[in-house]
Amino acid sequence: MGDSTEPAQELSGHVAPIDCDLSNEGIESHHMCMVMAVLISCPHLRRLKLNGNSIRDAGVGVLARGLLHNSSLQELGLARNFVTKLDLAGQRCPGALGPGGVEALAAALRNNSTLQELDIGGNDIRTQGSMLRAASSRGGALRRLSLCDNGLEASVLRVLQTAASEYKGLSLVV
């Protein structure tokens, strides 16, 4: 046998799943084209964490387009992400994920068959139930939807409870 420099995973014919944690890296909406390219071109990407960045609605729209063409991602973290300004002390102030971002994410969830876990906690999603209904009403793979620290109104909580009772296998964390 000769000297081989190939990684063991390639020799065995198996490529290990890829986990990518880009949390708290200062990623903004204009960086999401690169993330979308990775979503589309990396068939072994299983987990992507983008928590604590400043992606906003425009970036979520780009990310959603990537999700439409992805067939491997199982977990996506978007918690504490839609930061819109700094206060006088330089601290980040949370902004709300607006209707555009919610609708883009809803469309992606309706058409993605691999995403099992989605964390969108801490994004001030108070009344935007359309994405939540879309997440639970399609026949996709989503099994866990985390919405902690979003200030959800009672009417939205009722929609969530109804969805959870109708779609077995979907765990809602509120």
Side-chain angles (χ1 to χ4, degrees):
M1 298 190 117
D3 212 13
S4 176
T5 57
E6 293 181 60
Q9 61 183 357
E10 289 181 24
L11 289 174
S12 69
H14 174 74
V15 178
I18 297 170
D19 293 345
C20 183
D21 190 346
L22 297 172
S23 297
N24 303 307
E25 292 291 339
I27 295 173
E28 297 180 3
S29 58
H30 62 275
H31 297 121
M32 293 309 291
C33 287
M34 292 181 282
V35 175
M36 181 181 72
V38 170
L39 275 174
I40 293 171
S41 64
C42 186
H44 303 291
L45 183 63
R46 297 292 185 260
R47 290 177 193 86
L48 176 60
K49 292 187 179 185
L50 296 165
N51 303 321
N53 287 295
S54 187
I55 295 173
R56 304 176 212 209
D57 284 348
V60 170
V62 173
L63 179 68
R65 284 192 290 277
L67 284 173
L68 290 173
H69 302 286
N70 178 276
S71 60
S72 66
L73 193 67
Q74 295 175 358
E75 295 178 30
L76 177 60
L78 293 171
R80 302 170 322 282
N81 225 317
F82 308 99
V83 176
T84 57
K85 61 186 176 182
L86 297 176
D87 69 13
L88 295 176
Q91 299 296 315
R92 295 198 289 180
C93 298
L97 174 58
V102 168
E103 292 304 322
L105 207 46
L109 287 174
R110 281 191 294 271
N111 295 299
N112 184 289
S113 62
T114 60
L115 192 64
Q116 297 174 10
E117 294 187 25
L118 175 61
D119 182 358
I120 54 173
N123 288 304
D124 201 26
I125 300 171
R126 295 176 184 270
T127 59
Q128 317 233 348
S130 61
M131 193 277 300
L132 312 177
R133 286 188 297 274
S136 60
S137 66
R138 91 250 192 294
L142 196 65
R143 298 293 171 245
R144 184 175 190 273
L145 177 59
S146 179
L147 297 159
C148 296
D149 302 321
N150 274 306
L152 296 171
E153 294 179 357
S155 62
V156 175
L157 286 172
R158 282 192 296 275
V159 168
L160 290 172
Q161 291 166 345
T162 300
S165 67
E166 292 176 6
Y167 301 97
K168 293 176 179 36
L170 177 61
S171 170
L172 299 170
V173 181
V174 290

